[in-house]
Amino acid sequence: MQHMFTRHMLNRLRHRWLPVVMIVALLPFGMQTSDAQAQNRSATTQPRALELTDIMQFREIQQQVTTDDLSVIAFSANPDYGDREGQVVRTNDGTIYLVERGMRPQLSSDGRFAVFLQEPPLLERERATSREERRKLVQNAVLVDVTSGEQEVFSHAQATGFAADGQFFYVLHNDTYAKENGSEHGSLLRLIDLNSSEQTLIHNVVDIVAASEGHRLALHLVRELANTESTGSEATSEEKKPATEHAVVVYNLANHSGSTLLQTANKVASKLTFAPNGQALAFLVADSDSNLRETPQTLWLWQAGGGAEAVNTDRPNMILSEHSPIRWSDDNARLFIGHRPTPAVKAESRPQPESMADLYDLDRLLVDRRLQVWHGDDGMIMPQQRQTHSQRQRATATSVLHLNERTLVALSDNVNENVMISDNPHAVMVSNQEPHLRDRTWDGFYHDLYYVDLRSGERQRVAERLTSSQRGLISPDGQYVVFMADSQVQLFTAANGQVTTLATDVAVSWVDEENDRPAEPSPYGFAGWLAHSSGFWIYDRFDIWQVTVDNVATNLTRVGRDQNQQFRVAMFTEQRHIDATQPVLVRMYHEQLKHSGFYQLEVQSSQLNQGQQALLVPLLEDQKTYSLVAHSDDHQRLLFTEQDFRQFPDLWIAPRDFSTRQRLTDVNPQRDEFIWGHAELVEWESTRGEPLQGVLIKPDNYDPNKRYPVMVYFYEKFSQRLYQWNQMRVNHRPNFPFYLGQDYVVFLPDVHFRIGAPGPSATESLVPAIEKIIEMGVAEPNAIGLHGHSWSGYQAAFLVAETDIFTAVVSGAPVSNMTSAYSGIRWGTGLARQFQYETGQSRIGESMFDNLEPYLLNSPVFVADRINTPMLIQFGDKDEAVPWEQGIEYYLALRRLDKPVVMLQYEGEPHHLQRFANKIDYSIKMLEFFDHFLKGAPAPSWWQEGLEYQHYE
């Protein structure tokens, strides 16, 4: 095929790095934690209370990437409001390079270079108010030499990447820059050889994909063709439009040669996808114009050493879809694609009447109707159909193409089935929810589960009406599927289609022992299959068990239940299997004391068969929360976070045995400038005798000889946050350190729920919790504030009808009337709310039509006459989860009863505030409200006098 590259498309030049200021930070090994740093602070420097503007500038580690050996890490440190910062960390010596406004980092596979996109400064973005001004904002790319720290900026960057094992770097410049620099169509691609600094420019690029292995790029190019026909004055505008030619090119970076795989003036290519080994490329080709509602696609395949060819993927009454996944298996042997039913011809627009008869033609008039029919037998109610319409129009029926034989096997004929594509070479699991769609309105989410052979397409039903979270786990050899049903471990055997219940003689539960919802308890889960498929690991509440396919169950960790320690596998093989011949890293969480750590589990199957026990070795344990972030390919180096209430979860690195630990980052060094607090565990019993826990947080300058106003914040269970950093954001939640700096104590109590009585359950749990902290001498009895949002907003709205122990309450997005909310809609998903009450979080446990009484007894609006506590309600009037009319009902009830109430309606806002100005306003008003009622500050004018209707442009 003719080579499409022309001089105007490809230019070569030498490139020299432009010197820039290099920003380097070096964190010494054994770096101090924040507490140790605070102790070393100069005695003359006193911490101050946080302001909202201080909260905005705390940062989080996001968009993190690492090299395979963990020698280099890159991430974006993002504040709540402000300019982000890119960071590149060399883990061997702790060197850090900083990139202003860096985001979406990438690393070369050899770790020599990093690249960030660089957004414009926030100040410029805020000042750009018109569309024209926003168009002028420029996004750059910043290339960082990880060895030297030198940085090179490339303006007008649209996308970036590395290729050829890190030897080449590319920048795709945006269309504006491209047109100014010779690309009439598409973008301008800049390739840089990082060894020689030589550059190659390729014009008119629509898309670029780099092979993850090898030296190849795939390019989609477009160019304008000379149009010698229909150029006269009588030519239509469409005929005058320049004709274009598209090409797909495989470009070899080793010798800068290109092979044109496809060159056409009437077709377009999409979804260029290399095989994992870089030796093959798949892409879709379609006509540039079609009279069908969806344009049929053709699969093209190129393999190294040969040309490209169209592959037959025909299926009866279906087309290969433009929405098809192009998913290679890890072994490069299979390609998964998707089909949709043959589409109809595009509908014609409403015909124009030619006569009086046409004018009154009913069929012509009806073309313009807008109607939705809600049928009682619909699987999905109309709002959910609307919300999922776009997704369903893109859903495809999956097939697998076996590359060696060029055979296509249909795995599903139904676009609404979910084929769970994996790298298992034998079979896939398929989920079908359609038989149970109607049930989800009130009974929850269920599906039927199937096992489908990849070679034959033969389908076997594994189970019916499983909860949707149960997807089944295929053994590595494809012979078995393990899943949970009826709270028992089930094993499906593909050879005979039989299902066997395993581990029935084990005296533990595999499902949530503390389930307090009127639904089937959730399983604790499977860790995974053993690599040789002889068995799998499964969790109970505390321990890790091994269960073999011949039904031998062994408790591997043994001590978890006795010591209140929960063990979970932290590190797997690349295929997410368990190699029990090697020590396995597990994470420990102490359910009672709330701290965590890492242990090593040493299991030898031969020893287990001889009755010996697995060995559990502690590696790292402290009054902290530890989380594994990543591990090196050889599993010998670990990247993890360590946090508590005072310590941000910075990145740490350690060898596999944690014999040494190095803190790599210090993302929020300003923490020590502010008043923070110390978290402690508090225990009490509910009025019904259930043991409960909570987290009590006292400010740094806490005086045990005085009592404090208390901010109570709750949901369901929060005691697990004892050793967790509080996310530093301005939003709908009270920020804990912010309130500590205002001389409050913060309290996070747990709630134990009874089915059928969610409202009284909150009272039964929280009242004795408050009595406990009063008894401890911490809380001022007349200065206790309560804040809840959504589910806890409901609880806050209800329990003040049963107790006057709270001085003031903020209730965000609460349900106030369960009888009207029961048949409401969650507009974000389109789901009816009935299931929430019958089987979900609202915990009523039965239909309103079977038993109306608990809906009445648990509704704040029907007991509003008992409320004496000042109430601040907050709602967004576009709430997609709780109908905001629930806030109106509650407000009107309290107003009619002359109760002290104000409702804050934020226009255009969903369930959680999004507009930053509204977040700030709510945070200010929340503090003013509590300061007035808990600390005696003057009443704010909006509370005392209100605010008349405001019209916003």
Side-chain angles (χ1 to χ4, degrees):
M1 193 174 284
Q2 181 181 0
H3 197 290
M4 187 180 173
F5 281 106
T6 60
R7 276 188 185 176
H8 78 277
M9 284 185 172
L10 189 153
N11 296 304
R12 305 288 290 281
L13 58 133
R14 301 293 293 179
H15 170 263
R16 296 296 180 203
W17 286 83
L18 300 179
V20 298
V21 176
M22 181 174 61
I23 307 175
V24 181
L26 186 63
L27 300 183
F29 283 28
M31 179 178 177
Q32 293 176 321
T33 63
S34 56
D35 277 341
Q37 292 170 332
Q39 293 172 5
N40 292 337
R41 190 193 299 115
S42 169
T44 60
T45 304
Q46 294 298 320
R48 62 180 177 85
L50 279 161
E51 302 288 345
L52 290 178
T53 51
D54 297 318
I55 298 173
M56 299 174 193
Q57 297 175 65
F58 274 77
R59 302 182 297 181
E60 297 179 2
I61 295 175
Q62 297 178 348
Q63 303 171 348
Q64 175 185 290
V65 292
T66 71
T67 54
D68 290 343
D69 61 358
L70 294 188
S71 62
V72 181
I73 300 165
F75 60 88
S76 181
N78 295 345
D80 188 30
Y81 184 78
D83 287 323
R84 67 184 82 209
E85 179 182 74
Q87 296 196 16
V88 183
V89 185
R90 288 201 319 239
T91 64
N92 292 331
D93 61 9
T95 299
I96 298 178
Y97 301 114
L98 308 179
V99 177
E100 288 185 348
R101 307 185 307 282
M103 63 179 183
R104 291 163 53 186
Q106 296 172 277
L107 293 171
S108 61
S109 59
D110 57 11
R112 293 190 303 150
F113 291 90
V115 65
F116 291 82
L117 290 178
Q118 185 181 61
E119 65 182 352
L122 177 61
L123 182 59
E124 292 184 14
R125 303 201 306 271
E126 288 287 322
R127 294 172 64 181
T129 55
S130 69
R131 181 177 300 180
E132 183 63 30
E133 288 173 332
R134 287 192 292 270
R135 269 201 299 261
K136 292 179 180 179
L137 296 175
V138 175
Q139 175 179 271
N140 299 323
V142 181
L143 183 66
V144 182
D145 186 320
V146 177
T147 302
S148 67
E150 289 183 282
Q151 299 181 12
E152 174 72 8
V153 177
F154 300 88
S155 66
H156 297 83
Q158 177 178 316
T160 62
F162 294 99
D165 297 324
Q167 181 182 343
F168 284 87
F169 165 69
Y170 66 82
V171 179
L172 196 63
H173 294 284
N174 64 24
D175 292 354
T176 301
Y177 181 92
K179 283 182 172 59
E180 293 173 354
N181 289 273
S183 288
E184 292 298 322
H185 301 276
S187 303
L188 173 65
L189 178 66
R190 184 185 304 271
L191 287 171
I192 300 175
D193 186 328
L194 296 173
N195 292 339
S196 66
S197 298
E198 187 175 57
Q199 285 194 20
T200 301
L201 299 179
I202 301 177
H203 294 266
N204 304 322
V205 177
V206 177
D207 192 15
I208 175 175
V209 176
S212 55
E213 293 185 14
H215 286 71
R216 295 186 177 93
L217 299 174
L219 304 175
H220 177 188
L221 305 174
V222 61
R223 68 173 177 178
E224 188 173 311
L225 295 176
N227 190 355
T228 58
E229 300 178 1
S230 301
T231 56
S233 60
E234 297 181 359
T236 66
S237 59
E238 188 65 28
E239 290 171 333
K240 291 180 179 179
K241 184 178 180 180
T244 56
E245 182 179 51
H246 290 258
V248 175
V249 175
V250 169
Y251 187 76
N252 191 332
L253 292 166
N255 55 19
H256 290 280
S257 64
S259 299
T260 303
L261 310 184
L262 175 72
Q263 187 170 338
T264 175
N266 56 7
K267 294 183 183 295
V268 292
S270 64
K271 298 198 172 180
L272 282 63
T273 311
F274 274 108
N277 63 5
Q279 297 299 305
L281 176 75
F283 57 96
L284 301 180
V285 177
D287 292 339
S288 55
D289 189 25
S290 171
N291 68 339
L292 299 179
R293 289 184 175 178
E294 181 180 342
T295 304
Q297 307 288 310
T298 300
L299 178 69
W300 279 63
L301 185 67
W302 167 85
Q303 290 181 291
E309 60 178 347
V311 179
N312 182 8
T313 60
D314 291 346
R315 292 184 59 178
N317 303 314
M318 302 189 94
I319 63 165
L320 183 61
S321 173
E322 64 190 71
H323 307 298
S324 167
I326 303 294
R327 164 71 152 82
W328 289 88
S329 60
D330 279 354
D331 61 5
N332 309 284
R334 296 172 302 285
L335 189 66
F336 294 91
I337 56 176
H339 291 72
R340 285 188 58 80
T342 302
V345 175
K346 293 177 182 176
E348 296 182 1
S349 59
R350 179 183 175 181
Q352 298 297 316
E354 301 292 337
S355 65
M356 290 297 292
D358 291 342
L359 187 65
Y360 289 97
D361 182 88
L362 292 181
D363 289 336
R364 185 190 71 83
L365 292 170
L366 283 170
V367 169
D368 200 35
R369 69 181 173 182
R370 298 291 183 265
L371 170 70
Q372 306 297 341
V373 177
W374 296 47
H375 195 285
D377 292 333
D378 284 343
M380 290 189 290
I381 62 173
M382 197 55 62
Q384 191 185 10
Q385 291 186 44
R386 182 185 66 182
Q387 289 300 101
T388 60
H389 176 74
S390 178
Q391 173 187 337
R392 289 183 288 112
Q393 293 304 302
R394 298 192 301 269
T396 60
T398 305
S399 302
V400 60
L401 180 67
H402 295 275
L403 276 303
N404 290 338
E405 304 87 350
R406 289 292 199 278
T407 57
L408 185 72
V409 178
L411 303 178
S412 173
D413 297 321
N414 184 348
V415 298
N416 295 316
E417 286 188 330
N418 177 21
V419 177
M420 293 172 269
I421 298 172
S422 73
D423 290 308
N424 189 294
H426 308 286
V428 293
M429 303 305 298
V430 175
S431 164
N432 187 349
Q433 297 186 6
E434 283 190 309
H436 314 290
L437 287 178
R438 193 168 181 269
D439 294 349
R440 71 171 49 170
T441 302
W442 56 83
D443 195 26
F445 297 77
Y446 299 93
H447 68 150
D448 297 338
L449 192 63
Y450 296 89
Y451 171 100
V452 181
D453 186 278
L454 288 178
R455 283 291 175 183
S456 65
E458 180 184 353
R459 171 178 293 217
Q460 300 180 71
R461 187 164 60 197
V462 174
E464 289 183 284
R465 198 174 165 77
L466 286 177
T467 55
S468 292
S469 60
Q470 287 305 297
R471 301 303 180 93
L473 204 60
I474 304 177
S475 61
D477 64 6
Q479 294 187 39
Y480 305 102
V481 178
V482 64
F483 62 99
M484 294 292 301
D486 300 321
S487 300
Q488 296 293 329
V489 183
Q490 311 289 343
L491 184 72
F492 169 83
T493 303
N496 57 24
Q498 298 298 308
V499 174
T500 306
T501 304
L502 301 181
T504 55
D505 58 344
V506 175
V508 299
S509 174
W510 306 117
V511 298
D512 186 0
E513 298 175 10
E514 300 178 298
N515 178 52
D516 60 3
R517 298 191 180 194
E520 185 176 336
S522 300
Y524 290 111
F526 297 97
W529 277 93
L530 296 172
H532 45 62
S533 300
S534 63
F536 51 87
W537 287 10
I538 185 174
Y539 304 129
D540 72 8
R541 178 175 171 183
F542 296 100
D543 288 300
I544 303 172
W545 292 69
Q546 178 173 293
V547 179
T548 63
V549 296
D550 53 3
N551 201 17
V552 176
T554 306
N555 188 339
L556 300 177
T557 50
R558 302 182 321 281
V559 300
R561 186 169 295 272
D562 291 341
Q563 298 182 6
N564 277 309
Q565 293 176 305
Q566 182 190 89
F567 294 99
R568 298 294 184 256
V569 174
M571 191 162 59
F572 299 85
T573 66
E574 186 176 352
Q575 295 76 26
R576 200 169 171 80
H577 300 146
I578 296 169
D579 182 2
T581 65
Q582 300 295 322
V584 176
L585 183 71
V586 299
R587 183 180 182 271
M588 183 280 297
Y589 169 70
H590 199 291
E591 193 172 277
Q592 184 71 18
L593 301 179
K594 314 304 178 186
H595 68 271
S596 65
F598 292 108
Y599 281 58
Q600 184 166 282
L601 182 60
E602 299 177 9
V603 180
Q604 290 293 334
S605 298
S606 59
Q607 294 176 353
L608 291 181
N609 294 336
Q610 296 170 12
Q612 298 184 37
Q613 296 178 335
L615 182 62
L616 189 63
V617 181
L619 302 175
L620 174 65
E621 185 174 349
D622 202 350
Q623 292 181 341
K624 305 282 185 181
T625 293
Y626 292 103
S627 300
L628 184 68
V629 176
H631 60 79
S632 59
D633 273 4
D634 62 4
H635 290 204
Q636 296 307 304
R637 303 184 81 200
L638 306 176
L639 186 68
F640 65 99
T641 60
E642 174 185 291
Q643 63 174 302
D644 60 24
F645 180 72
R646 301 178 65 82
Q647 181 181 345
F648 174 79
D650 276 301
L651 296 174
W652 295 64
I653 198 163
R656 172 68 178 262
D657 61 1
F658 289 93
S659 56
T660 59
R661 292 188 291 145
Q662 179 192 351
R663 180 177 171 184
L664 297 173
T665 63
D666 189 13
V667 170
N668 291 300
Q670 77 275 31
R671 206 287 286 161
D672 294 326
E673 299 174 15
F674 305 105
I675 296 171
W676 224 256
H678 296 269
E680 62 186 68
L681 198 62
V682 177
E683 298 183 338
W684 70 95
E685 287 187 354
S686 74
T687 57
R688 299 175 64 88
E690 298 103 351
L692 291 166
Q693 296 178 306
V695 179
L696 186 66
I697 312 172
K698 302 173 183 176
D700 285 342
N701 53 358
Y702 176 76
D703 181 355
N705 296 314
K706 78 171 190 177
R707 291 181 178 270
Y708 284 77
V710 178
M711 156 66 70
V712 181
Y713 180 64
F714 74 117
Y715 194 76
E716 291 187 347
K717 295 288 193 295
F718 270 170
S719 59
Q720 74 278 4
R721 299 177 67 168
L722 177 64
Y723 297 113
Q724 291 181 11
W725 172 262
N726 180 232
Q727 188 180 49
M728 298 299 289
R729 290 186 179 180
V730 178
N731 55 24
H732 62 280
R733 304 178 182 94
N735 181 279
F736 304 159
F738 177 67
Y739 275 85
L740 294 171
Q742 302 299 321
D743 214 30
Y744 283 80
V745 165
V746 175
F747 186 38
L748 317 177
D750 289 346
V751 178
H752 177 84
F753 291 98
R754 290 188 290 119
I755 293 173
S761 295
T763 308
E764 294 160 3
S765 298
L766 265 62
V767 169
I770 302 307
E771 292 172 342
K772 175 69 175 181
I773 61 173
I774 292 174
E775 177 189 322
M776 292 170 60
V778 174
E780 168 57 51
N782 297 318
I784 299 174
L786 180 68
H787 181 284
H789 188 86
S790 191
W791 175 234
S792 60
Y794 153 74
Q795 297 171 70
F798 180 88
L799 62 81
V800 290
E802 298 197 315
T803 179
D804 292 332
I805 202 168
F806 296 101
T807 311
V809 173
V810 174
S811 175
V815 163
S816 64
N817 182 350
M818 287 192 172
T819 65
S820 57
Y822 173 77
S823 291
I825 302 294
R826 295 181 65 95
W827 293 109
T829 61
L831 290 169
R833 294 176 53 84
Q834 292 171 344
F835 77 93
Q836 292 182 237
Y837 296 88
E838 297 191 34
T839 64
Q841 185 181 53
S842 297
R843 294 175 170 88
I844 296 298
E846 51 190 332
S847 162
M848 187 172 75
F849 309 107
D850 292 335
N851 188 358
L852 178 60
E853 185 177 31
Y855 289 85
L856 297 173
L857 293 178
N858 286 277
S859 293
V861 74
F862 296 126
V863 291
D865 59 312
R866 306 178 203 162
I867 296 173
N868 302 309
T869 308
M871 177 66 63
L872 179 62
I873 307 167
Q874 179 268 320
F875 248 110
D877 59 16
K878 298 298 182 183
D879 194 311
E880 78 287 8
V882 178
W884 91 284
E885 290 80 3
Q886 290 292 310
I888 297 174
E889 287 193 51
Y890 194 39
Y891 161 78
L892 288 176
L894 294 173
R895 183 177 188 268
R896 177 65 181 84
L897 293 163
D898 287 326
K899 305 294 183 178
V901 62
V902 165
M903 184 167 75
L904 305 176
Q905 170 199 348
Y906 288 99
E907 292 188 352
E909 288 283 24
H911 194 56
H912 298 142
L913 298 177
Q914 298 299 306
R915 185 185 289 266
F916 204 72
N918 290 339
K919 296 179 185 181
I920 296 171
D921 182 77
Y922 184 36
S923 296
I924 292 172
K925 285 182 168 54
M926 195 190 312
L927 181 63
E928 290 175 339
F929 176 71
F930 283 126
D931 276 355
H932 172 57
F933 284 104
L934 275 60
K935 299 171 72 173
S941 61
W942 58 266
W943 176 265
Q944 197 165 23
E945 304 169 4
L947 184 67
E948 67 179 19
Y949 174 76
Q950 303 290 299
H951 179 72
Y952 300 101
E953 296 295 336

